[in-house]
Amino acid sequence: MPLEGDEPAAHAPQAISSLIGETIGDGKRWARAEIAYYKAVAGERAGDAGIGAGLAIGAALLAQAALIAGLVGLVLTLTPRLGAGLATLLVVFVVLAIAAILGFLALVRFRRIRAPLSKGKP
């Protein structure tokens, strides 16, 4: 015998299916909102990354210009003592030696990327 205020058992499956349908709808809306949020965050961060990359390229270009100016100044400083040809040759040789060392160190690091993993090292 049903208590006063209780719904009959015939209505229970309909109420449960309605609740399940609402829960699924809520889940879909929540998932869409999360996707929209992360798309907005990704868009903002991509914009920041693009600006950062542009600024880094600008800084690299200015640093390269300063290095070139410094090397020209070094050649001009050495010219009275060594002559223009020898001063230029000396500066170019030293700079190429430094570039070769840095290139070799970079090559060693890149080879480490391709090396097989050993048991003790990650």
Side-chain angles (χ1 to χ4, degrees):
M1 183 190 241
L3 297 175
E4 193 174 319
D6 283 346
E7 294 184 14
H11 295 290
Q14 183 181 9
I16 290 174
S17 66
S18 173
L19 289 174
I20 290 173
E22 288 178 22
T23 303
I24 290 172
D26 289 345
K28 287 179 181 179
R29 283 189 295 280
W30 175 79
R32 287 186 189 115
E34 285 290 312
I35 290 170
Y37 170 74
Y38 285 111
K39 280 184 180 179
V41 168
E44 183 178 334
R45 292 195 178 164
D48 288 342
I51 291 170
L55 292 172
I57 289 170
L61 289 174
L62 289 174
Q64 184 178 13
L67 179 64
I68 291 169
L71 293 174
V72 168
L74 183 60
V75 169
L76 292 175
T77 302
L78 293 174
T79 296
R81 294 183 186 192
L82 302 176
L86 190 56
T88 302
L89 185 64
L90 178 66
V91 170
V92 167
F93 176 75
V94 169
V95 170
L96 286 177
I98 293 170
I101 291 169
L102 292 175
F104 176 75
L105 293 174
L107 183 63
V108 168
R109 291 294 179 153
F110 286 129
R111 284 184 180 161
R112 285 177 56 184
I113 293 171
R114 294 181 37 201
L117 295 176
S118 63
K119 291 183 180 181
K121 295 181 181 177

